[in-house]
Amino acid sequence: GELLEIYALQIRMSFAQHNAVKMKELYEKTKDLNSVVKDPRSQSVIRECWGMMFGNESEWQRAYTEFYSAFTHFQEVGDRDKAKQCLRYVVVANMLSGGEQNPFDAREAKVYQNDPDIS
C-alpha cells in the first residue's frame, strides 16, 4: 500500500517534470507488481501516468490499454471525474491508434456513451 503510493507520487512528479528517463525507470519497477498489492487508488494514478508516457511516445495502443485500466480503477474507487477524464483519453488514444474497438462496448464505459463531456 504505502510503497505503491510512493511510486504513484514519484511517477506523477516525474511526469510533471517531463523526466522521461525516470518515468521509464519507474515503469519498469512497477509494471510487474504482484496483483495482491495493487491498490486501485494508486493503480489509477500509475496507469494514467503510464498512458500519458506511452502517448508522449506515440505508442497509442499501449496508451489506450493503460488509460482504460486507469479508467476502471478510478471507477472502482468512485472518482467519477477522473474516470471520465481517462475515458476521454481512451477515446483519443483509440482514434490515434486507428483502433477498431469501440471503447463504449464495455459495460463500465457504456454509461458514459452519451455524456457530453466525453462524446
Side-chain angles (χ1 to χ4, degrees):
E2 288 178 14
L3 178 60
L4 213 51
E5 288 179 37
I6 291 168
Y7 277 136
L9 181 59
Q10 286 180 326
I11 290 170
R12 267 194 176 157
M13 288 174 36
S14 297
F15 185 78
Q17 295 168 347
H18 306 286
N19 187 341
V21 173
K22 184 69 173 175
M23 286 284 293
K24 283 286 189 189
E25 176 187 312
L26 290 165
Y27 172 74
E28 291 301 323
K29 286 182 178 179
T30 58
K31 70 178 181 176
D32 295 323
L33 289 175
N34 186 325
S35 61
V36 175
V37 296
K38 289 185 178 178
D39 172 31
R41 289 177 309 246
S42 299
Q43 279 296 315
S44 57
V45 171
I46 289 171
R47 296 297 182 133
E48 181 183 19
C49 288
W50 287 353
M52 290 178 187
M53 178 183 75
F54 289 128
N56 284 341
E57 297 171 352
S58 297
E59 293 187 42
W60 300 112
Q61 188 57 49
R62 290 178 82 181
Y64 173 93
T65 301
E66 297 303 339
F67 284 134
Y68 194 84
S69 179
F71 162 72
T72 59
H73 286 298
F74 279 123
Q75 284 279 91
E76 188 177 339
V77 298
D79 191 336
R80 186 174 169 86
D81 292 336
K82 289 295 284 183
K84 284 170 55 172
Q85 178 181 342
C86 282
L87 188 56
R88 282 193 297 269
Y89 294 154
V90 166
V91 170
V92 170
N94 187 50
M95 291 187 310
L96 292 171
S97 72
E100 308 223 352
Q101 67 266 34
N102 180 351
F104 296 103
D105 283 347
R107 179 182 52 81
E108 301 89 356
K110 192 172 280 303
V111 297
Y112 295 104
Q113 189 165 6
N114 296 318
D115 189 307
D117 291 336
I118 295 174
S119 51

